[in-house]
Amino acid sequence: VRNSSLVYSPAGECVARYDKIHLCRFDNGREHYDEGNTIEAGAAPVQFDLSARSGHTWRVGLSVCYDLRFPELYRHHAQAGADIMVVPSAFTRTTGQAHWEVLLRARAIENQCFVLAAAQGGQHENGRRTWGHSMAINAWGEVLGQRTQAGAGVVLATLEPAHLQRVRQQLPALEHRTLS
């Protein structure tokens, strides 16, 4: 069993599958989670190309939840040309409240890309509480939209290719890397 993110074309064809690489283990004395007890880790990063109605093609890097804590995955996506990184998640209330927004913004800033993060939020039948706070963030680290209420909802944001070009041109940090 794996925690996977599947991407489907408008025709219903599965065009990409990413199996979560990093499995969460957390124990603060009150809450305990160990995904390795029930799921198997994936092995490879995955990107796919998404054609917009405008004709622009976006390169999208996939991740799942706890992967967010591993910047090397997102840097791999950036090196593969990703413009957008998606992060479907179910962060615990404890870890989400402390780290969710800052990690999302950091991944957007350091990789000069958009980050789109859909997140479960609220109280679950098993007693687990998840943070929620779905967000859309631009390459400058600005939050374009977010959902702060628990429960179902939608976050809308406009992603402009020109924004990426402008940020990457004004501060070409990805070109200035000396370590790989």
Side-chain angles (χ1 to χ4, degrees), residues 51-111:
S51 297
R53 282 182 242 147
S54 67
H56 180 77
T57 299
W58 297 95
R59 185 85 168 145
V60 181
L62 299 176
S63 66
V64 174
C65 201
Y66 189 62
D67 283 330
L68 184 59
R69 294 184 178 277
F70 300 89
E72 60 273 18
L73 172 62
Y74 296 85
R75 183 50 50 99
H76 179 88
H77 288 322
Q79 288 178 291
D83 303 305
I84 301 170
M85 298 184 195
V86 295
V87 192
S89 297
F91 261 54
T92 68
R93 179 170 178 75
T94 301
T95 60
Q97 188 172 27
H99 305 136
W100 177 244
E101 182 176 338
V102 71
L103 287 171
L104 290 170
R105 293 179 70 200
R107 297 300 85 90
I109 293 165
E110 68 199 8
N111 295 295

Side-chain angles (χ1 to χ4, degrees), residues 133-148:
H133 290 76
S134 296
M135 301 178 111
I137 301 167
N138 72 15
W140 196 248
E142 298 166 322
V143 176
L144 301 176
Q146 76 174 299
R147 173 138 177 101
T148 57

Side-chain angles (χ1 to χ4, degrees), residues 26-32:
F26 175 75
D27 188 346
N28 68 0
R30 295 179 318 278
E31 301 168 87
H32 172 77

Side-chain angles (χ1 to χ4, degrees), residues 21 25 29 32-33 62 153 155 173:
I21 294 173
R25 185 171 49 234
H32 172 77
Y33 306 102
L62 299 176
V155 173

